[in-house]
Amino acid sequence: MEEADKAACAMEHGISVEIIDKLARFAEFIEICPRGGEDWANGKISHCDKTVSLEVCQECISSVSDKVHKNHCKQLQGGRIVKKLNDVRPGERCKVVKITSKGNLFKRITEMGLTTGTVIEVERVAPLGDPVEMKVKGYHLSLRKDEASKIEVEMI
């Protein structure tokens, strides 16, 4: 266990936040994956059974996708789903709850019309999640993924 703690500490200081986030998402996926779950994480399963059909794999991935997506949402009082704007999928609508940035970025975001209560419809997200294109107050707006991550929204 001590060796694992040292390795984790070294990784924490030597790997970007984005990679750590991806590793955390992968760990969450493994926990809920119906083909792996805790058995896979604990080394009891090394891989999926090669005799499984493609249809079974596609069903498995589909069933897990929504669970993973919901895992990244934060539940608030009253059953509202709040998440970061960069996690909103194309076609979904949301309302700004909070802007967590400060200084010039806060000023820039609010000057673009993104204030508390503003309704947003995400139209497109580039393949790597950057930029996020949305419709706000009848006009189109693009934000960098990092900028969108500073805006907390309630799903509507």
Side-chain angles (χ1 to χ4, degrees), residues 10-150:
M11 285 175 53
E12 179 183 14
H13 297 287
I15 295 179
S16 71
V17 173
E18 290 81 16
I19 292 175
I20 289 174
D21 184 52
K22 288 178 182 179
L23 285 170
R25 288 181 185 202
F26 177 71
E28 289 173 3
F29 171 80
I30 294 303
E31 286 177 8
I32 63 173
C33 177
R35 301 274 310 151
E38 287 185 32
D39 286 343
W40 190 87
N42 292 327
K44 296 178 183 170
I45 299 173
S46 60
H47 55 77
C48 287
D49 182 359
K50 291 181 182 177
T51 63
V52 172
S53 70
L54 179 59
E55 291 83 24
V56 171
C57 287
Q58 288 172 335
E59 283 179 35
C60 176
I61 290 167
S62 260
S63 71
V64 170
S65 178
D66 285 337
K67 291 178 188 176
V68 171
H69 182 68
K70 288 176 185 174
N71 247 4
H72 296 295
C73 298
K74 185 169 59 174
Q75 293 291 328
L76 291 182
Q77 296 172 355
R80 298 184 309 158
I81 297 176
V82 175
K83 56 179 147 178
K84 294 180 181 187
L85 180 56
N86 64 309
D87 290 327
V88 177
R89 296 178 182 178
E92 292 182 328
R93 291 172 38 98
C94 55
K95 180 171 60 173
V96 176
V97 174
K98 181 179 180 181
I99 299 170
T100 60
S101 68
K102 294 183 172 43
N104 289 336
L105 181 56
F106 177 84
K107 182 179 178 186
R108 183 170 167 266
I109 288 171
T110 55
E111 285 176 348
M112 288 188 280
L114 294 170
T115 57
T116 302
T118 301
V119 175
I120 299 169
E121 181 178 350
V122 174
E123 294 184 318
R124 287 184 292 277
V125 178
L128 297 176
D130 201 4
V132 177
E133 296 181 21
M134 63 203 77
K135 192 178 218 178
V136 179
K137 297 181 180 178
Y139 65 92
H140 298 275
L141 177 66
S142 290
L143 288 178
R144 302 299 308 215
K145 182 177 164 180
D146 182 57
E147 295 168 335
S149 73
K150 307 283 192 271

